[in-house]
Amino acid sequence: MINMNINSDSVIKHLANQIQREQSTAKILEASFHNVQQINTSLVMGAQAVTLGRTY
């Protein structure tokens, strides 16, 4: 989303708020991280799950 000039933190927060308001069973799954800070921020903003790959 950075390459498209979109604030992903804001998007996650707004989606999480909308899901909560509507009492939906939808979940936010985040992926494609470049560093640990992005993972932590996504979870703080409202993501319920993240995908992580293994590096060798």
Side-chain angles (χ1 to χ4, degrees):
M1 293 183 128
I2 292 171
N3 293 338
M4 298 185 321
N5 202 27
I6 296 172
N7 183 339
S8 59
D9 297 341
S10 178
V11 171
I12 296 167
K13 185 174 182 179
H14 283 96
L15 284 172
N17 287 340
Q18 187 66 26
I19 290 168
Q20 185 177 27
R21 258 193 310 277
E22 295 183 10
Q23 298 178 347
S24 174
T25 59
K27 303 289 183 201
I28 301 171
L29 171 64
E30 286 291 308
S32 189
F33 298 102
H34 297 279
N35 57 56
V36 174
Q37 181 62 42
Q38 290 176 330
I39 297 167
N40 291 336
T41 301
S42 291
L43 293 170
V44 168
M45 290 295 128
Q48 289 89 7
V50 297
T51 62
L52 303 173
R54 183 188 296 194
T55 58
Y56 296 93

